[in-house]
Amino acid sequence: MEGSGSLLKQFSVKEAWKSTSSRWGGKDKGCEASLSQMEGFAMYGNEDNGMVGKKRVMVVVDHTSHSKHAMMWALTHVANKGDLLTLLLVVPPHRGSESSCSTYLVNHLGSLCKDCKPEVEVEALVILGPKLATVMSQVKKLEVSILVLGQKKPSPLLSCLCGNKSISSSEEFAEHCINNADCLAIGVRKRSQGNNGYLISTRLQKNFWLLA
């Protein structure tokens, strides 16, 4: 999409960002194995054929409800026993003073994940830097197997008034990651109240309804 190029140029800077991290449980080695780049949905579970082993699942989190829905979906649908779940919260450079609050938030989310699924190793990262470049860089650096991003429902009013121009920066960010990350990237959107399940998007499948 045209907007993705401009967004990428905007965030093309050197990797020199401050970071903090926390980790719950598991061995110090973490998870070094990575999955093959798969575009479908047959990637969940530790398969008996050996194709799928321990993996690192990264979720981009923040204060929004849709990022928390994505985190819980990744925990229940993607992360298995022995896997490493990495929660990444990116703090924009101009909001560096909020890093302590961000650290508290991501540590709280990490503890929540560990309480819900103790058999999964959980790691929380807070990095100061531009969001898109930081996420893409960490996917490569940490050899992420699956990247999970929360997506929110577009505003019907804005879509009606502005058409395609109503796409928000957060939607553009998610779409760029889905289409360009060096791993399987999955967009997750919880269906509106009264409708069960999630809408899942990858490079090849958009808004796939997953009931569970």
Side-chain angles (χ1 to χ4, degrees):
M1 57 188 293
E2 295 181 1
S4 299
S6 61
L7 191 63
L8 180 60
K9 291 179 181 178
Q10 179 182 350
F11 289 152
S12 294
V13 296
K14 293 182 179 179
E15 183 180 353
W17 310 317
K18 298 178 181 178
S19 65
T20 60
S21 65
S22 300
R23 200 162 180 167
W24 293 264
K27 298 179 181 179
D28 293 336
K29 286 185 178 180
C31 173
E32 298 298 333
S34 61
L35 291 176
S36 301
Q37 293 186 10
M38 302 161 67
E39 299 299 338
F41 294 95
M43 71 286 185
Y44 312 119
N46 292 315
E47 302 293 341
D48 293 334
N49 60 17
M51 182 178 67
V52 180
K54 290 185 178 181
K55 58 187 179 293
R56 183 190 290 268
V57 180
M58 176 179 282
V59 184
V60 180
V61 298
D62 54 34
H63 66 281
T64 61
S65 59
H66 53 271
S67 79
K68 295 180 180 66
H69 290 317
M71 179 190 76
M72 295 309 297
W73 183 86
L75 187 66
T76 56
H77 290 74
V78 182
N80 298 292
K81 183 177 181 180
D83 288 344
L84 175 58
L85 178 68
T86 300
L87 307 180
L88 173 63
L89 194 155
V90 182
V91 180
H94 65 278
R95 294 171 59 182
S97 60
E98 302 176 14
S99 59
S100 59
C101 295
S102 300
T103 301
Y104 173 82
L105 172 62
V106 77
N107 282 337
H108 171 71
L109 295 175
S111 297
L112 177 64
C113 289
K114 193 62 183 177
D115 289 342
C116 291
K117 205 167 186 178
E119 65 271 23
V120 173
E121 187 175 353
V122 181
E123 177 183 50
L125 301 176
V126 177
I127 299 181
L128 180 66
K131 190 172 184 179
L132 178 59
T134 301
V135 172
M136 301 296 270
S137 173
Q138 291 300 307
V139 164
K140 289 184 178 180
K141 180 180 178 180
L142 301 178
E143 298 183 346
V144 171
S145 305
I146 302 174
L147 174 66
V148 179
L149 310 115
Q151 291 185 295
K152 61 180 180 180
K153 183 178 180 180
S155 168
L157 179 60
L158 287 178
S159 299
C160 180
L161 295 176
C162 306
N164 291 334
K165 294 182 180 180
S166 66
I167 298 176
S168 67
S169 58
S170 62
E171 292 174 86
E172 189 176 24
F173 160 76
E175 284 297 321
H176 185 90
C177 290
I178 290 170
N179 293 323
N180 297 281
D182 288 345
C183 67
L184 173 62
I186 306 174
V188 178
R189 174 161 67 88
K190 187 173 177 61
R191 300 197 73 191
S192 58
Q193 192 172 16
N195 294 312
N196 294 325
Y198 297 84
L199 291 176
I200 308 301
S201 294
T202 66
R203 286 188 185 95
L204 300 182
Q205 294 178 304
K206 303 297 182 183
N207 294 323
F208 178 87
W209 181 27
L210 189 64
L211 181 60

